[in-house]
Amino acid sequence: NAGVMQNPRHLVRRRGQEARLRCSPMKGHSHVYWYRQLPEEGLKFMVYLQKENIIDESGMPKERFSAEFPKEGPSILRIQQVVRGDSAAYFCASSLFEGGMNTEAFFGQGTRLTVV
Amino acid sequence: ELKVEQNPLFLSMQEGKNYTIYCNYSTTSDRLYWYRQDPGKSLESLFVLLSNGAVKQEGRLMASLDTKARLSTLHITAAVHDLSATYFCAVDLSGGGADGLTFGKGTHLIIQP
């Protein structure tokens, strides 16, 4: 059973380009979370998704950022018109919903985005 | 707004010594996680503490939770070089999953021979 898979592991984009980050949850997990980690900081929550549904996007910047988790395929975090301040490590986590609650979430290895 | 503070943020210690990392938080919660992160890697779950007075041990690491004091500790016994990493505590307000996790800034631990 593979863990949470993120790709690419490293992504370099020029200012103004778009960045697409992918996350495949653990097998059987239906809930996905995205976090951002700035250098020397802890992780900050961005968005929580179920299949075809955004549950909580309170941590997402209002502009340029969007996330989806389609019925088929990985979850995508999309950043349009990237700026240098978007450079960070983006982590995805997934969990199972069981017995009316979420189980412990497991994190992927992250995508390190560098905007040049 | 929940605040999670770890201290120290940087710690350099010698092999064989003992030390404790502290995690204070500002809002009532009875679920707290400790993670380890190696450079360029993901977070590895070390401990999940689910109730007041919970104590868990794995090898040279021991974690405890005092929900009344809103304090968790991660104690390192007879440190070895392999334990060099960044350690994060995360407080969970949502009762599971990862949408309610608020992380501390991390403790960068360097263990020297």
Side-chain angles (χ1 to χ4, degrees):
Chain A
N1 185 8
V4 179
M5 304 298 290
Q6 290 188 248
N7 70 83
R9 294 287 305 280
H10 300 274
L11 182 61
V12 179
R13 284 287 177 265
R14 295 185 186 283
R15 282 178 292 171
Q17 290 185 319
E18 178 179 287
R20 280 185 181 240
L21 288 61
R22 294 176 197 77
C23 170
S24 296
M26 286 181 71
K27 188 176 180 181
H29 285 195
S30 57
H31 292 207
V32 164
Y33 316 80
W34 285 94
Y35 277 76
R36 176 164 64 176
Q37 184 181 31
L38 295 170
E40 306 300 326
E41 295 281 329
L43 278 69
K44 297 271 194 270
F45 169 75
M46 298 181 76
V47 63
Y48 165 30
L49 308 109
Q50 288 175 313
K51 289 274 187 188
E52 300 183 285
N53 211 6
I54 296 175
I55 306 300
D56 181 354
E57 56 182 346
S58 58
M60 286 277 270
K62 296 283 184 262
E63 296 176 350
R64 302 187 297 107
F65 285 72
S66 62
E68 62 176 6
F69 189 16
K71 188 175 179 182
E72 302 289 338
S75 175
I76 307 282
L77 179 68
R78 182 180 176 210
I79 312 171
Q80 295 178 289
Q81 299 174 324
V82 295
V83 300
R84 287 224 171 103
D86 296 333
S87 296
Y90 292 83
F91 288 95
C92 170
S94 73
S95 69
L96 183 62
F97 194 77
E98 191 173 61
M101 60 184 291
N102 274 309
T103 60
E104 182 186 356
F106 294 89
F107 284 82
Q109 291 195 299
T111 293
R112 278 145 185 90
L113 172 66
T114 302
V115 179
V116 297
Chain B
E1 181 189 344
L2 171 62
K3 291 191 190 318
V4 180
E5 293 188 355
Q6 284 183 239
N7 72 84
L9 296 181
F10 295 92
L11 176 57
S12 179
M13 55 193 288
Q14 287 189 314
E15 279 191 323
K17 300 288 188 185
N18 303 334
Y19 211 84
T20 301
I21 300 170
Y22 297 89
C23 175
N24 290 91
Y25 53 98
S26 60
T27 301
T28 301
S29 172
D30 57 4
R31 182 184 287 250
L32 187 142
Y33 297 83
W34 282 96
Y35 293 92
R36 169 182 171 147
Q37 185 180 38
D38 291 292
K41 304 288 187 182
S42 184
L43 280 76
E44 174 191 352
S45 178
L46 294 175
F47 300 107
V48 182
L49 302 169
L50 298 177
S51 61
N52 186 39
V55 177
K56 290 195 175 178
Q57 182 162 6
E58 181 73 34
R60 300 174 189 275
L61 300 178
M62 183 172 72
S64 66
L65 178 62
D66 181 343
T67 58
K68 290 181 170 44
R70 299 178 187 168
L71 170 68
S72 180
T73 61
L74 181 66
H75 187 74
I76 303 153
T77 302
V80 293
H81 178 68
D82 286 352
L83 291 178
S84 298
T86 300
Y87 293 86
F88 291 96
C89 65
V91 176
D92 184 2
L93 293 182
S94 69
D99 54 314
L101 293 181
T102 300
F103 284 79
K105 287 193 174 184
T107 296
H108 296 268
L109 175 62
I110 298 172
I111 298 168
Q112 298 173 346

